[in-house]
Amino acid sequence: MPPSLTWDRAHELFLESLRTSRGLSPHTVDGYARDILSFAEISQKDACGSPADATRSNIDSFLSHKAREGYSNRSVLRAISAIRSFYRFLQQENLVPSTPAEDLRLPRLGRPLPKVLSADQIRRILEAPDLTKPRGLRDRALLELFYASGLRVSELTAITYENFQLEMGLVRVLGKGSRERIVPVGDEARHWIERYLQEGRNRMDRGKLQKWLFLSNRGRRMTRQTVWHLLRKYARQVGVTAKLSPHTLRHSFATHLLEGGADLRSVQQMLGHASLSTTQIYTHLSRKHVRDVYRDHHPRAQKR
């Protein structure tokens, strides 16, 4: 084993091995190259003159530096992977006696927080459809139910007449894994569904006697893609520029319930989540709301 392996020499040998034997993409090789160069620079500033002298403390200092500089989680994960690969190679070549990266593990990326609209943004979207046309009544009823009950898009388009107990304000839903649940329907959504049934749906059914509640312009069952298109269309129409997903109203439903004081277990049941941990992602959003309320209303929340 060489008595003194320089950072430059170790870096050179490592990259050569990546290019010739690992089959990695040029993009990944370049990323690893930058990460090891940066790791070497930070370590040398801490008086670590060789890769063989580096400790776990040097690695932690490097990763903390990347975090302070605002690098993304994925960039930090790639840096961890680069350091692990770097020392694995050096050990295999007998260039270092031990590795400071032995217990270095790749953490799981946290789930991104769902995008949520404000109550005012949702109100503007719900009021956007043209109520003089059958399809406008359908869209208003569909969007009202979507937000009022937090359904998945696939559940929304699968609703039939038999699923509804409008007089009781309930809808029966068949969710993931064929799990059935009963979801409440608010008065506002019930009003628009009843109006759509009375004034719009028969004109869209065209005598086909379809069982689906919400029908396409051709009198057939609506698709998930059509619902997503409608949501984005009305959002643009009223100036809501936030990036939307098919689940935006579902996410907003859950978050607004928690902000209003609903308990997590009830929200879990309404969403149809098999595990409470899946629902807990919304608590991050509701906590922010609580902090904002505290900051805005408590007399000693902000320094004068």
Side-chain angles (χ1 to χ4, degrees), residues 4-299:
S4 60
L5 177 69
T6 66
W7 284 104
D8 288 344
R9 181 57 178 162
H11 181 262
E12 178 184 341
L13 292 172
F14 176 57
L15 289 186
E16 183 180 341
S17 76
L18 292 179
R19 294 188 180 109
T20 59
S21 63
R22 291 286 298 276
L24 299 176
S25 70
H27 176 75
T28 301
V29 171
D30 289 343
Y32 277 23
R34 292 192 300 272
D35 289 331
I36 298 305
L37 276 177
S38 180
F39 175 53
E41 291 174 1
I42 298 297
S43 298
Q44 287 173 308
K45 289 179 181 178
D46 291 336
C48 179
S50 166
D53 299 328
T55 65
R56 180 59 181 270
S57 178
N58 293 117
I59 296 176
D60 291 341
S61 294
F62 168 62
L63 297 177
S64 296
H65 167 77
K66 289 187 75 72
R68 287 195 303 272
E69 292 295 312
Y71 285 88
S72 68
N73 286 342
R74 292 193 180 278
S75 294
V76 174
L77 289 181
R78 189 197 63 204
I80 294 174
S81 182
I83 292 172
R84 291 173 62 192
S85 298
F86 177 61
Y87 275 102
R88 187 182 303 119
F89 164 75
L90 295 180
Q91 271 200 308
Q92 289 171 350
E93 298 297 317
N94 293 319
L95 296 173
V96 296
S98 61
T99 169
E102 182 175 358
D103 297 325
L104 194 61
R105 297 287 181 264
L106 289 172
R108 293 180 61 185
L109 281 176
R111 292 179 60 186
L113 292 178
K115 298 294 187 297
V116 173
L117 298 177
S118 69
D120 180 67
Q121 287 175 318
I122 289 178
R123 177 190 58 77
R124 285 151 53 198
I125 292 173
L126 296 182
E127 294 176 354
D130 181 357
L131 301 180
T132 65
K133 300 176 180 178
R135 70 180 65 176
L137 289 170
R138 175 205 64 191
D139 294 349
R140 180 66 184 266
L142 181 149
L143 293 172
E144 289 277 2
L145 179 61
F146 201 178
Y147 173 61
S149 299
L151 303 179
R152 298 179 178 94
V153 182
S154 57
E155 296 169 346
L156 184 71
T157 59
I159 291 176
T160 68
Y161 278 121
E162 296 177 350
N163 297 134
F164 260 109
Q165 300 177 29
L166 271 180
E167 68 284 357
M168 299 180 64
L170 299 172
V171 60
R172 187 174 72 252
V173 177
L174 194 65
K176 287 185 176 181
S178 297
R179 291 190 297 270
E180 184 179 281
R181 70 184 191 278
I182 304 297
V183 181
V185 178
D187 291 344
E188 194 72 18
R190 288 172 58 193
H191 165 78
W192 288 105
I193 291 169
E194 290 171 347
R195 184 169 171 185
Y196 159 63
L197 292 175
Q198 294 169 2
E199 303 176 29
R201 191 185 180 284
N202 287 339
R203 295 164 64 184
M204 302 187 72
D205 186 36
R206 303 177 182 180
K208 297 178 182 178
L209 301 177
Q210 293 278 14
K211 66 178 182 178
W212 314 109
L213 177 64
F214 297 113
L215 301 178
S216 71
N217 297 337
R218 296 183 178 181
R220 301 171 183 168
R221 176 181 172 179
M222 294 186 72
T223 65
R224 297 172 66 255
Q225 291 76 17
T226 300
V227 175
W228 191 12
H229 169 75
L230 289 175
L231 177 59
R232 289 185 297 177
K233 180 186 77 170
Y234 289 124
R236 289 194 300 268
Q237 186 173 311
V238 298
V240 175
T241 58
K243 187 176 181 180
L244 306 181
S245 78
H247 273 356
T248 298
L249 292 188
R250 177 173 163 87
H251 295 324
S252 302
F253 160 85
T255 303
H256 293 169
L257 275 176
L258 289 169
E259 289 177 353
D263 66 277
L264 195 62
R265 184 70 67 180
S266 296
V267 175
Q268 175 200 359
Q269 293 175 351
M270 284 184 275
L271 290 174
H273 287 161
S275 170
L276 189 64
S277 62
T278 307
T279 317
Q280 285 175 332
I281 189 172
Y282 296 107
T283 63
H284 296 292
L285 300 172
S286 60
R287 286 172 191 155
K288 179 181 182 301
H289 170 76
V290 170
R291 289 195 300 270
D292 291 343
V293 170
Y294 174 80
R295 187 193 64 239
D296 293 341
H297 299 286
H298 193 283

